[in-house]
Amino acid sequence: MNFKHLIDLALKEGATEAEIFYSKGRVVNVETQKGSVGFGEESVSDGIGIRVISGGAFGYSSVNDPGKYEDAVRTAVKCAKARGRDPSLQGLPGPKPYRSVSGIYDRRIDGMKLDECIDTMAAMVSEATKDRDVSVTFGKFSSQVSETTIINSNGIDAHEKDTAAYGYIDVILKKGDQVSTAYDYDVSRALDVNFAAIGSNAAELAKSSLNAVSIESKTCDVLLGPQAFSDVMEGTLLFAINSENVQKGRSSLADSIGKKVAVDGLAMVDDGLIPGGLGTSAFDDEGVPTQATTIIDDGVLETFIYDSYTAGKAGRESTGNAVRGTYQLSPKVGPHNVRFEYPRSDVIGETKKGIYVNSIIGAHTANPITGDFSVECRNSFIVEDGRKTKPIKSLMMGGNAFQFLNNITGMGRDDRKMGAFVVPTVRVKDVHVTRGSQ
């Protein structure tokens, strides 16, 4: 689709720079109702977001009706003219070469129909309920394909197509007077996941959590599974490395560039080029090439992540971290695929005594500025002599996410794609845990 005439219209109406962000998507969702497949729908959406600069200020408008595209352009220009000049605004980005990326589009997902998605969800439920004591409380499978086009008056002209498939299931196991719950999920850009196994994994986790024991409050080594570790860090560490939060005085790491913020030997990289990564793309959501940005190197904070606006404000180059969840929103700073480099080993097998935490509840209550948190742990186990032994009834865990980075003593080899993270099981020393409500 050619949007150049909209760029020309924006300039004619008084904009000095203009950008069109177009996205088109198809999503198939299937959900369970009362323990079996009960809901399915297919939806298609498309629309454009128009961002302009006029009088030294941004203006933005969006619309999903092609007949109103030109009206939206005029509205964006009017919005810019109505705002005061922003001295930090350095303009829209210009074109740069893109590196090729792989593993973000799969024709099989693109071609999935509703009945195929229903069959996949049914297989997940079937595997989860092979044991009659297990029932499904909620399950979902979705496939999606999207196309993105970004052009601007400075010469950017970018187009990309990608896919994703997602499966989730939550189960409850009732055996005598005992009750256990568990969930599992997986997501991939390609149809390379055994989605039926998600159901059996959740059921097995629920079974292994029966006959749980209570523990006393203590400080010990805790092994955080990929889900638990990513949840702790999402609302704290990702918040702190966001340059918008840094510039607004909301990041506790604002004055820590060049300082030690993590254990020796730890590196953290936001990599927009990982093959098959959930956040992988040749370019960000304003057309700037993505890259691998080393944020922490050998425990030292090297940089934050930037989009074009925050980079201009800081007098530096964008790191290619402009993101937007929909064409209806203007871009904001966000990560792509945050991965960690640290010596890998069998962290469970080499742990003499500790606790393994599969997932947590309440990570959203963490203080994003201080990093303090208190969460409930789900499907936790005592670790003795290198293996998980007894499940734990109820457990609370508290601490500070930034201190966790300094207390890491090991990382496993079980990397999983968890939202904006690609993380393994992580062992952290000196973690305080307390008995939860029984």
Tab-separated table of all heavy atoms in Angstrom, residues 15 133 147 186 191 209 215 218 229 237 244 272 284 293 296 300 310 320 326 351 355 361 365-367 415:
chain	number	residue	atom	x	y	z
A	15	ALA	N	3.280	20.625	8.089
A	15	ALA	CA	4.241	19.837	8.852
A	15	ALA	C	5.626	19.975	8.233
A	15	ALA	O	5.773	20.093	7.017
A	15	ALA	CB	3.822	18.374	8.856
A	133	ASP	N	-8.380	-36.772	37.864
A	133	ASP	CA	-8.395	-35.852	38.997
A	133	ASP	C	-8.033	-34.419	38.572
A	133	ASP	O	-8.145	-33.482	39.365
A	133	ASP	CB	-7.407	-36.318	40.070
A	133	ASP	CG	-7.830	-37.624	40.718
A	133	ASP	OD1	-9.047	-37.821	40.905
A	133	ASP	OD2	-6.941	-38.454	41.024
A	147	GLU	N	1.481	-7.432	9.626
A	147	GLU	CA	2.336	-6.727	8.678
A	147	GLU	C	2.499	-5.294	9.153
A	147	GLU	O	1.533	-4.675	9.607
A	147	GLU	CB	1.727	-6.729	7.285
A	147	GLU	CG	1.629	-8.094	6.632
A	147	GLU	CD	1.046	-7.995	5.235
A	147	GLU	OE1	1.673	-7.345	4.372
A	147	GLU	OE2	-0.041	-8.569	5.020
A	186	ASP	N	3.559	-21.451	26.411
A	186	ASP	CA	4.686	-21.284	25.514
A	186	ASP	C	4.242	-20.397	24.360
A	186	ASP	O	3.048	-20.315	24.035
A	186	ASP	CB	5.179	-22.623	24.977
A	186	ASP	CG	6.672	-22.609	24.656
A	186	ASP	OD1	7.246	-21.494	24.539
A	186	ASP	OD2	7.265	-23.691	24.520
A	191	LEU	N	5.842	-22.397	14.158
A	191	LEU	CA	5.030	-23.498	14.651
A	191	LEU	C	5.945	-24.671	15.015
A	191	LEU	O	5.848	-25.772	14.470
A	191	LEU	CB	4.008	-23.910	13.586
A	191	LEU	CG	2.733	-24.605	14.087
A	191	LEU	CD1	1.997	-23.741	15.088
A	191	LEU	CD2	1.831	-24.959	12.915
A	209	SER	N	3.146	-31.224	42.946
A	209	SER	CA	2.969	-30.253	44.027
A	209	SER	C	2.065	-30.769	45.137
A	209	SER	O	1.786	-30.054	46.105
A	209	SER	CB	2.407	-28.940	43.466
A	209	SER	OG	3.300	-28.359	42.537
A	215	ILE	N	7.476	-24.839	55.559
A	215	ILE	CA	8.852	-24.553	55.979
A	215	ILE	C	8.857	-23.324	56.875
A	215	ILE	O	7.933	-22.502	56.835
A	215	ILE	CB	9.788	-24.324	54.771
A	215	ILE	CG1	9.395	-23.052	54.009
A	215	ILE	CG2	9.796	-25.534	53.844
A	215	ILE	CD1	10.444	-22.598	53.013
A	218	LYS	N	13.303	-18.252	56.583
A	218	LYS	CA	14.757	-18.350	56.576
A	218	LYS	C	15.335	-17.559	55.407
A	218	LYS	O	14.624	-17.090	54.522
A	218	LYS	CB	15.204	-19.807	56.467
A	218	LYS	CG	14.712	-20.522	55.226
A	218	LYS	CD	15.190	-21.971	55.235
A	218	LYS	CE	14.658	-22.769	54.066
A	218	LYS	NZ	15.171	-24.164	54.059
A	229	PHE	N	11.886	-15.517	37.509
A	229	PHE	CA	12.933	-14.500	37.383
A	229	PHE	C	12.500	-13.367	36.455
A	229	PHE	O	12.717	-12.184	36.765
A	229	PHE	CB	14.218	-15.139	36.859
A	229	PHE	CG	15.384	-14.182	36.801
A	229	PHE	CD1	16.019	-13.773	37.954
A	229	PHE	CD2	15.827	-13.672	35.586
A	229	PHE	CE1	17.091	-12.883	37.923
A	229	PHE	CE2	16.897	-12.779	35.534
A	229	PHE	CZ	17.524	-12.380	36.700
A	237	LEU	N	13.753	-3.917	36.777
A	237	LEU	CA	14.957	-3.708	35.972
A	237	LEU	C	14.635	-3.083	34.615
A	237	LEU	O	15.313	-2.143	34.182
A	237	LEU	CB	15.695	-5.030	35.787
A	237	LEU	CG	16.995	-4.989	34.980
A	237	LEU	CD1	17.987	-4.029	35.610
A	237	LEU	CD2	17.593	-6.387	34.870
A	244	GLU	N	13.433	6.969	29.073
A	244	GLU	CA	12.366	7.923	29.405
A	244	GLU	C	12.234	8.047	30.914
A	244	GLU	O	12.093	9.158	31.455
A	244	GLU	CB	11.038	7.489	28.783
A	244	GLU	CG	9.899	8.451	29.083
A	244	GLU	CD	8.578	8.043	28.457
A	244	GLU	OE1	8.559	7.056	27.695
A	244	GLU	OE2	7.565	8.712	28.719
A	272	GLY	N	17.754	-7.126	19.572
A	272	GLY	CA	16.617	-7.122	18.655
A	272	GLY	C	16.811	-7.986	17.443
A	272	GLY	O	15.935	-8.023	16.561
A	284	ASP	N	12.878	-0.904	14.557
A	284	ASP	CA	11.939	-0.640	15.641
A	284	ASP	C	10.698	0.063	15.091
A	284	ASP	O	10.530	0.202	13.872
A	284	ASP	CB	12.610	0.142	16.769
A	284	ASP	CG	12.904	1.598	16.416
A	284	ASP	OD1	12.584	2.039	15.293
A	284	ASP	OD2	13.478	2.311	17.275
A	293	THR	N	22.294	-4.342	22.059
A	293	THR	CA	22.790	-3.286	22.940
A	293	THR	C	23.230	-3.880	24.269
A	293	THR	O	22.400	-4.430	25.008
A	293	THR	CB	21.703	-2.223	23.188
A	293	THR	OG1	21.269	-1.675	21.945
A	293	THR	CG2	22.226	-1.116	24.096
A	296	ILE	N	24.538	-4.064	30.483
A	296	ILE	CA	25.442	-4.347	31.597
A	296	ILE	C	26.562	-5.232	31.064
A	296	ILE	O	26.309	-6.203	30.350
A	296	ILE	CB	24.717	-5.068	32.753
A	296	ILE	CG1	23.607	-4.175	33.334
A	296	ILE	CG2	25.694	-5.465	33.850
A	296	ILE	CD1	22.746	-4.880	34.378
A	300	VAL	N	28.914	-4.040	35.191
A	300	VAL	CA	28.928	-2.579	35.148
A	300	VAL	C	27.858	-2.073	34.179
A	300	VAL	O	27.750	-2.564	33.054
A	300	VAL	CB	30.317	-2.057	34.715
A	300	VAL	CG1	30.302	-0.537	34.558
A	300	VAL	CG2	31.374	-2.476	35.720
A	310	THR	N	14.186	10.278	23.053
A	310	THR	CA	15.021	10.322	24.259
A	310	THR	C	16.505	10.373	23.898
A	310	THR	O	17.303	10.966	24.634
A	310	THR	CB	14.735	9.115	25.169
A	310	THR	OG1	14.987	7.893	24.448
A	310	THR	CG2	13.296	9.134	25.653
A	320	GLY	N	17.485	1.939	18.865
A	320	GLY	CA	16.479	1.168	18.129
A	320	GLY	C	15.450	0.539	19.028
A	320	GLY	O	15.016	-0.591	18.795
A	326	THR	N	0.253	-0.886	19.184
A	326	THR	CA	-0.792	-0.735	18.192
A	326	THR	C	-0.557	0.553	17.417
A	326	THR	O	0.111	1.478	17.898
A	326	THR	CB	-2.188	-0.694	18.852
A	326	THR	OG1	-3.175	-0.297	17.900
A	326	THR	CG2	-2.227	0.281	20.019
A	351	THR	N	23.284	-27.559	43.521
A	351	THR	CA	22.812	-26.880	44.727
A	351	THR	C	22.612	-27.884	45.857
A	351	THR	O	21.819	-28.824	45.737
A	351	THR	CB	21.485	-26.140	44.453
A	351	THR	OG1	21.695	-25.156	43.432
A	351	THR	CG2	20.975	-25.451	45.711
A	355	ILE	N	15.822	-23.557	47.608
A	355	ILE	CA	14.401	-23.608	47.249
A	355	ILE	C	14.272	-23.259	45.777
A	355	ILE	O	14.905	-22.307	45.297
A	355	ILE	CB	13.581	-22.636	48.119
A	355	ILE	CG1	13.509	-23.140	49.561
A	355	ILE	CG2	12.170	-22.451	47.555
A	355	ILE	CD1	12.861	-22.169	50.518
A	361	ILE	N	3.245	-14.803	42.151
A	361	ILE	CA	2.039	-13.978	42.049
A	361	ILE	C	2.309	-12.659	42.769
A	361	ILE	O	2.818	-12.656	43.895
A	361	ILE	CB	0.820	-14.665	42.689
A	361	ILE	CG1	0.532	-16.005	41.999
A	361	ILE	CG2	-0.410	-13.769	42.613
A	361	ILE	CD1	-0.575	-16.799	42.680
A	365	THR	N	3.114	-5.638	41.965
A	365	THR	CA	3.093	-4.737	43.125
A	365	THR	C	4.489	-4.253	43.508
A	365	THR	O	4.640	-3.473	44.437
A	365	THR	CB	2.463	-5.435	44.340
A	365	THR	OG1	3.293	-6.556	44.717
A	365	THR	CG2	1.063	-5.943	44.025
A	366	ALA	N	5.510	-4.722	42.801
A	366	ALA	CA	6.878	-4.296	43.105
A	366	ALA	C	7.029	-2.798	42.891
A	366	ALA	O	6.383	-2.208	42.026
A	366	ALA	CB	7.866	-5.048	42.220
A	367	ASN	N	7.882	-2.181	43.689
A	367	ASN	CA	8.167	-0.761	43.524
A	367	ASN	C	9.172	-0.612	42.381
A	367	ASN	O	10.322	-1.031	42.512
A	367	ASN	CB	8.753	-0.191	44.816
A	367	ASN	CG	8.929	1.307	44.759
A	367	ASN	OD1	9.399	1.859	43.778
A	367	ASN	ND2	8.547	1.981	45.843
A	415	ASP	N	17.206	-21.817	28.916
A	415	ASP	CA	16.658	-20.535	28.474
A	415	ASP	C	15.261	-20.694	27.892
A	415	ASP	O	14.999	-21.612	27.102
A	415	ASP	CB	17.556	-19.912	27.404
A	415	ASP	CG	18.788	-19.257	27.999
A	415	ASP	OD1	18.644	-18.197	28.617
A	415	ASP	OD2	19.885	-19.823	27.854
